[in-house]
Amino acid sequence: MLTILRLLTLSLSVLFSSLVQSGYLEYDQDVLIPDDWTHVGRVEPTEELELTFALKQQNVDLLEEKLRLVSDPDSAQYGKHLTLEEVSTLICPSDLTQKVVRGWLQSHGITNCLTVHTQDFLQCTMTAEVAETLLSGSKFHRYTRDGQTLVRSSAPYFVHDDVHQHLDFVGGLHRLPPKGLDLSKGRKLKKSAGVHLGVTPAVLRARYNMTVTDVGKAQNNSQAVAQFLEQYYSPADLAEFMSIYGRGFLHHSQVDRVVGTQGAGKAGLEASLDIEYIMSTGANISTWFFTNPGRHESQEPFLQWMVLLSNMSDLPWVHTVSYGDDEDSLSAAYMTRINTEFMKAGVRGISLLFASGDSGAGCKHLGGGKNSFRPSFPASSPYVTTVGGTSFKNPFKITYEVTDYISGGGFSNVFKMPSYQTNTVEAYLKTAASTLPPQSYYNTSGRAYPDIAALSDNYWVVSNRVPIPWVSGTSASTPVVGGMLSVINDQRLLKGLPALGFLNPRLYKLKGQALFDVTEGCHLSCLDEKVQGKGFLLHLQVLHMLPNS
């Protein structure tokens, strides 16, 4: 029996090898199921799946150049953002690509497909049996974690080269979602006369010089948060939060639009944090809530949100997202395509803010006693603004800030350092050389993050009608920065100026205007003697960005 099994394994290996060599190309060669997901069993052949096909786009290089021009304040095209229709005309897949991919699907009897305005995604339903025939090598299984069940393939899939050259990837096979960012409980604060007992909207507005007049007034301004991991907010919690902490400034107590379906379960702490703090810093500004649990077990909620952005002509100017995964757990093809989606949003004048994560620099054990830092994506994307976290030097007073030790940061191992940050980062690496970890732990030529930071420690949140103290994480700082950017957008829009859009090229040119460097503290990384007491301090701290900046 052992000999037969070895022969069978060998024959499968030879088959897959021959497929690759004879015109079949493999996607996501390393398919790893995270330990926190439990295998339930194989999916029945007749079960319905929904898969997302990312079609190859045209003119991606021109899209990137356009983003640079509309985002660089020194460019004559600064602020001249494109409409969704103009983006579609620029990057829409060729007629040949659409014909080949649709013909391939139809040859397998797949006709129930929806597209988007930009025509670069197809969402198709089919049975598991058809999917496994369409995508050679795929094997669909059901997995569960914390009451959530998803369907994914436990093996890589193969597509013939005739089709492969027209596809970036197929969504719904791999990429089980990670756990949400760690909203860890911070230090317990003891009562003391004349000092604050945790971060509230009043503390934030005092720290960042936001006066009572720094609230929304423009009718054409809006902001949004997006949630993916079965996270929902409670309208009652939001109203309660504003009744307690929203006194003294004009504000909204209701979300203006929910995109997606709110679950029936209890409110999630992360969703509550996000919506309460973007609406109290970006006060009196119309706010949307994107909730993307996935209608089918085979859907990828984050990808569904990206598809939505490609299909909506009217979107908020600022989006904040507390979501990320280890960069090395994702394929380069997937991340590259997601970067293109970020560029599509940026050229439309949309600011995308992502939390930097709550695991510091991260750590990956390479074997043989060697370690390296572990960057996170989308935090490492060059086309989003990544937000880190700080804490007060004196946790009882509104004082200057130091790095929050959990705040994510580092250098991408996949994406090169963008030109907008080269001078800043190279100067930092030179002046801080004596305090940095050995360069074998990180890629000094990679995209450095975060780009900006704000308080992320010891927040008060109302969840399930109860005020909860000591909530911490970059899930807190990200909506705070997003709300402040919305206030800046508001004042720009009132003056007839365009929204900020992709912020980074302008951010790195401020050179001390409205920002200051955080130069004290360090964050989590590998626990070995080579890096003890050392870390990155790539945090730019928001103080108060001028309306016309």
Side-chain angles (χ1 to χ4, degrees), residues 353-409:
L353 277 64
F354 279 82
S356 70
D358 298 339
S359 301
C363 188
K364 184 175 183 179
H365 303 293
L366 304 177
K370 295 182 178 180
N371 297 320
S372 70
F373 297 149
R374 197 172 198 180
S376 174
F377 182 84
S380 66
S381 169
Y383 307 105
V384 302
T385 300
T386 304
V387 182
T390 62
S391 35
F392 284 125
K393 174 68 173 179
N394 183 334
F396 302 102
K397 294 183 179 180
I398 302 176
T399 57
Y400 74 93
E401 294 157 61
V402 299
T403 303
D404 190 344
Y405 74 99
I406 65 173
S407 177

Side-chain angles (χ1 to χ4, degrees), residues 136 194 228 262 267 270 273 305 328 387 425 428 445 487 521 524 546:
S136 301
F228 313 107
Q262 278 266 81
E270 186 168 299
L273 174 69
W305 174 69
D328 57 24
V387 182
V425 177
Y428 163 77
S445 63
V487 172
L524 296 170
L546 303 177

Side-chain angles (χ1 to χ4, degrees), residues 82 118 140 173 187 203 211 269 277 304 340 440 532 536:
L82 303 186
T118 48
F140 288 91
L173 281 90
R187 311 170 189 85
V203 170
T211 69
L269 186 60
Y277 278 91
Q304 297 305 306
T340 303
S440 60
Q532 281 184 358
F536 301 120

